Amino acid sequence: MKHSEWTEADSRTCKQIWAEYQKQHDITDRIGQTAGIDPKSGQIWFGDSIQEIVQQRQLKGLASPLFFERVGYEAYFWKGGRR
């Protein structure tokens, strides 16, 4: 899948997968980690960073795009300073 092939539907699917995962699993020990969600397989990868997840997947020969969440946070990255 090329970047241009990623759709809003993929993002919605990943958010649904992530919401369901959180209902079924205790993730308190993963707060602060990165979760990479594959919209096609439904698989979730965990690591300390996006780069770590990408490396894990490369070792398995996987390169499909993922949707990333920061466990325990509303957004993966906040831009801007405090006012």
Side-chain angles (χ1 to χ4, degrees):
M1 177 186 296
K2 296 177 188 171
H3 176 69
S4 61
E5 294 175 9
W6 187 271
T7 66
E8 284 297 318
D10 291 325
S11 296
R12 282 191 303 275
T13 298
C14 289
K15 289 176 184 180
Q16 290 171 347
I17 291 167
W18 182 236
E20 192 60 35
Y21 184 90
Q22 291 179 85
K23 289 178 189 174
Q24 297 176 8
H25 298 86
D26 179 10
I27 59 169
T28 55
D29 63 330
R30 296 191 179 273
I31 291 176
Q33 286 188 337
T34 299
I37 305 146
D38 185 329
K40 304 301 182 208
S41 71
Q43 187 170 3
I44 300 174
W45 297 77
F46 291 96
D48 290 329
S49 66
I50 290 173
Q51 293 82 2
E52 183 177 306
I53 292 171
V54 169
Q55 288 174 345
Q56 288 176 34
R57 288 170 42 86
Q58 284 175 339
L59 291 173
K60 295 187 180 283
L62 301 172
S64 58
L66 300 177
F67 184 89
F68 292 98
E69 290 278 353
R70 175 78 66 198
V71 180
Y73 293 81
E74 290 182 32
Y76 187 84
F77 181 76
W78 293 97
K79 185 176 178 184
R82 294 180 180 243
R83 292 181 186 216

